[in-house]
Amino acid sequence: MGNLREKADVILIGAGVMSATLGSLLKELAPEWNINVLEKLDRAGEESSNEWNNAGTGHSALCELNYTTEQPDGTIDITKAVKINEQFQLSRQFWAYLVNQHLIRDPQDFIRPLPHMSLVHGERNVEFLKNRFKALSNSPLFHGMEFSDDPEKLKEWVPLIMKGRTITEPMAATKIDSGTDVNFGELTRMLMDHLTDNGVQVHYKHLVKQMKRTNDNRWSVKVKNLVSGSVDYHTADFVFIGGGGGSLPLLQKTGIPESKHIGGFPVSGLFMVCNNPDVIAEHQAKVYGKAKVGAPPMSVPHLDTRYIDNKKTLLFGPFAGFSPKFLKTGSVFDLIKSVKPNNLLTMLAAGVKELSLTKYLIQQVLLSNEKRMEELREFIPEAKREDWDIVVAGQRVQVIKDTEAGGKGTLQFGTEVVTAADGSIAALLGASPGASTAVHVMLEVLEKCFPQHLEEWEPKIKEMIPSYGVTLAENPELFHTIHTNTAQTLGLTPNDLNVERPLDKETKASGNN
């Protein structure tokens, strides 16, 4: 028989960026609440949030082409791009609040200004990028973006990519200097340190084995201490499951109706990391290309300057792969164990629908190092094999569920919250844009799970996040003020202030328009 622990108000499962964000929000909104964190690894931010396991782009749709779709008439739908940018602005505001309140330390340890670029080849893609640029330039959120199809301008922007390149087809790029590189692993550790300093109990090396409702409508969580081998029981009024790829199996353990008919499709990945300081020094941007046909959105190729442990590095990838594990530290039986009678048909339907994705992943798994070098040379023509090492990226589990639009077994790309009808438990599933939109997602959790507190909490939420409840895209002056203030607080000036005032309607463009 295990030990019965004292009741907590909130249990957060997983010490990643999502739990750290929710815990930090709750500590400001309800400081008297008792919060416990359960994490199976020995420190915070080691799985999906780790700096080596995600792109750290600070996803704000400045460079990710898959967030803008071309309509049959050739116009570009920027709805998703605007939505994701708005969500990232919420994260910036909350981080700036924490810095201003001296609740987390030096912001440059987790966020830096870095240009975000999109780069395409071929007449058709250049036309798409030009139309995308024009559409985005109409939104205040994207002011400061430049377009060029002039090779000389591209040499100025991305010398490493243009060096030694034989230009046989049209090329074009967009560039915006207000992009960021975010070290989500370091941010997570900062937030967890803040929580620990403020009375939150963080239990590392604790594995959640089971969850069930108690007679008094709390949740009882059975936990194994991986050091001592003992089993404890933690109880709480509210449980948040933020276990990255491991959230789906934990959600299934709850038995709530909302956990039924949901499956998960794991996608693994590799990155190439440059080990030559001279090559690293030649590039200063995140440059995103277009995904290959049949590739999942998370496999969009990109050449990224990154700052990890305050050291500049250069990564290229990701190369997608398949592993049945739901976490890097997971089990090869994760996928098969996640198939239940209630989601079997959903999973089978997805298998039939996603044959092209399956084929793509098999091809990626079989790629030789030389084939990977060929893909890298599409970005860096003079890349040398000895300058690049391979690292394994994080596991991502894409959600599979039945939807009205897609029918049975539809593969979802994005981040989703599954909540019990009574709001007593919530789970975060899915992948990109993930960490970048953590504040938006956790506000959604608060709204769904604590509606009885929202009226009381709203003034404090607006103090932390001034644009809460407001659409920045429709309030350009407010956006400019907030963007400028957060840039100054987070140390993103002067580069980050290359954002034109919303009243300045003239858009910047280089090259032939």
Side-chain angles (χ1 to χ4, degrees):
M1 181 69 185
N3 302 311
L4 184 65
R5 288 289 182 95
E6 281 185 30
K7 163 190 173 295
D9 294 297
V10 172
I11 287 175
L12 307 174
I13 300 176
V17 71
M18 293 294 178
S19 290
T21 300
L22 180 56
S24 298
L25 284 166
L26 286 172
K27 261 298 156 194
E28 297 303 296
L29 297 170
E32 72 282 3
W33 284 11
N34 182 6
I35 300 173
N36 283 341
V37 180
L38 304 171
E39 167 58 55
K40 77 168 187 174
L41 301 180
D42 57 5
R43 67 194 294 242
E46 284 299 280
E47 262 286 352
S48 303
S49 304
N50 187 268
E51 50 268 45
W52 289 105
N53 291 342
N54 68 60
T57 301
H59 285 291
S60 43
L62 300 176
C63 57
E64 305 93 330
L65 297 175
N66 52 300
Y67 295 146
T68 45
T69 52
E70 188 171 21
Q71 303 302 300
D73 64 357
T75 59
I76 307 296
D77 182 357
I78 65 168
T79 308
K80 188 172 184 181
V82 169
K83 179 179 167 187
I84 288 172
N85 191 300
E86 292 255 5
Q87 292 173 1
F88 183 66
Q89 301 306 323
L90 300 180
S91 294
R92 279 178 58 131
Q93 290 170 67
F94 184 56
W95 301 337
Y97 166 83
L98 294 173
V99 171
N100 280 327
Q101 298 296 312
H102 308 292
L103 299 175
I104 59 175
R105 53 188 185 273
D106 303 332
Q108 66 269 19
D109 287 346
F110 75 89
I111 188 167
R112 300 203 184 207
L114 194 70
H116 282 199
M117 296 182 60
S118 305
L119 181 72
V120 298
H121 304 258
E123 196 171 326
R124 180 77 190 83
N125 288 332
V126 168
E127 189 64 24
F128 163 76
L129 189 66
K130 187 182 293 185
N131 290 337
R132 176 183 183 271
F133 162 72
K134 288 175 181 174
L136 290 176
S137 295
N138 289 324
S139 168
L141 303 179
F142 298 90
H143 275 291
M145 181 177 282
E146 300 175 72
F147 170 91
S148 183
D149 53 11
D150 176 2
E152 292 305 312
K153 176 58 77 172
L154 297 182
K155 285 177 186 176
E156 183 187 312
W157 284 353
V158 279
L160 182 64
I161 288 174
M162 298 303 288
K163 187 196 286 186
R165 182 175 294 278
T166 304
I167 300 175
T168 57
E169 59 181 347
M171 286 180 69
T174 54
K175 175 174 179 280
I176 184 164
D177 290 332
S178 58
T180 53
D181 175 59
V182 185
N183 183 329
F184 285 107
E186 185 59 29
L187 174 63
T188 301
R189 292 186 287 273
M190 284 183 180
L191 293 175
M192 279 297 175
D193 286 347
H194 155 60
L195 292 176
T196 303
D197 291 344
N198 285 274
V200 172
Q201 297 290 314
V202 184
H203 303 276
Y204 294 111
K205 304 290 284 184
H206 278 63
L207 177 65
V208 173
K209 302 291 287 183
Q210 195 54 263
M211 281 178 280
K212 65 177 183 179
R213 294 307 298 264
T214 60
N215 292 334
D216 56 358
N217 280 331
R218 294 175 186 159
W219 283 96
S220 174
V221 183
K222 180 181 178 183
V223 185
K224 181 177 182 181
N225 183 321
L226 296 177
V227 177
S228 68
S230 65
V231 173
D232 298 327
Y233 291 85
H234 295 249
T235 63
D237 298 318
F238 171 76
V239 176
F240 172 69
I241 303 171
S247 288
L248 177 62
L250 290 171
L251 175 63
Q252 291 174 329
K253 291 178 189 295
T254 68
I256 61 172
E258 294 80 6
S259 70
K260 313 296 185 190
H261 309 290
I262 298 176
F265 185 83
V267 180
S268 64
L270 299 171
F271 273 97
M272 299 180 79
V273 183
C274 187
N275 59 42
N276 185 331
D278 294 334
V279 176
I280 295 168
E282 286 187 76
H283 188 75
Q284 183 69 14
K286 290 182 183 289
V287 182
Y288 273 56
K290 281 200 85 171
K292 288 185 165 53
V293 176
M298 62 173 289
S299 297
V300 172
H302 44 96
L303 180 67
D304 284 8
T305 296
R306 295 288 311 276
Y307 290 91
I308 296 176
D309 296 329
N310 286 317
K311 181 183 175 186
K312 185 180 177 183
T313 187
L314 186 60
L315 279 74
F316 175 74
F319 297 93
F322 176 77
S323 164
K325 293 181 179 183
F326 279 4
L327 293 164
K328 280 177 81 169
T329 56
S331 161
V332 292
F333 299 109
D334 285 344
L335 177 59
I336 196 70
K337 281 182 173 179
S338 75
V339 180
K340 311 289 183 186
N342 69 70
N343 70 2
L344 177 60
L345 290 178
T346 300
M347 295 287 282
L348 289 174
V352 172
K353 280 183 179 178
E354 300 296 339
L355 288 175
S356 62
L357 174 58
T358 306
K359 180 183 175 185
Y360 169 79
L361 292 175
I362 292 170
Q363 289 170 339
Q364 287 278 295
V365 169
L366 298 176
L367 276 183
S368 64
N369 282 340
E370 192 46 50
K371 285 288 184 187
R372 292 191 186 105
M373 282 305 298
E374 284 179 22
E375 293 200 18
L376 172 60
R377 288 186 185 116
E378 290 180 18
F379 274 72
I380 308 176
E382 296 185 351
K384 297 174 183 173
R385 179 71 189 92
E386 62 268 23
D387 290 343
W388 296 82
D389 302 316
I390 300 283
V391 296
V392 179
Q395 284 287 112
R396 297 290 183 264
V397 178
Q398 309 292 159
V399 177
I400 298 171
K401 66 178 187 178
D402 305 335
T403 67
E404 279 188 32
K408 189 166 273 301
T410 302
L411 193 62
Q412 305 290 106
F413 294 106
T415 307
E416 296 201 20
V417 176
V418 177
T419 312
D422 64 358
S424 64
I425 195 162
L428 192 282
L429 306 176
S432 184
S436 299
T437 60
V439 173
H440 162 78
V441 176
M442 293 306 103
L443 288 172
E444 185 182 326
V445 169
L446 294 179
E447 289 162 1
K448 285 184 175 180
C449 298
F450 302 100
Q452 71 276 23
H453 294 288
L454 279 183
E455 188 176 341
E456 168 199 350
W457 287 350
E458 189 168 318
K460 183 66 179 180
I461 294 176
K462 286 184 174 177
E463 179 192 337
M464 298 187 290
I465 304 158
S467 75
Y468 178 68
V470 178
T471 304
L472 286 173
E474 295 171 6
N475 292 272
E477 284 292 351
L478 177 63
F479 166 69
H480 183 79
T481 300
I482 287 174
H483 200 270
T484 301
N485 291 342
T486 58
Q488 290 171 339
T489 300
L490 296 172
L492 303 177
T493 52
N495 290 359
D496 200 43
L497 290 183
N498 187 19
V499 178
E500 297 174 40
R501 282 202 165 272
L503 299 181
D504 184 2
K505 283 291 183 186
E506 189 176 337
T507 56
K508 291 168 68 179
S510 306
N512 305 318
N513 280 323

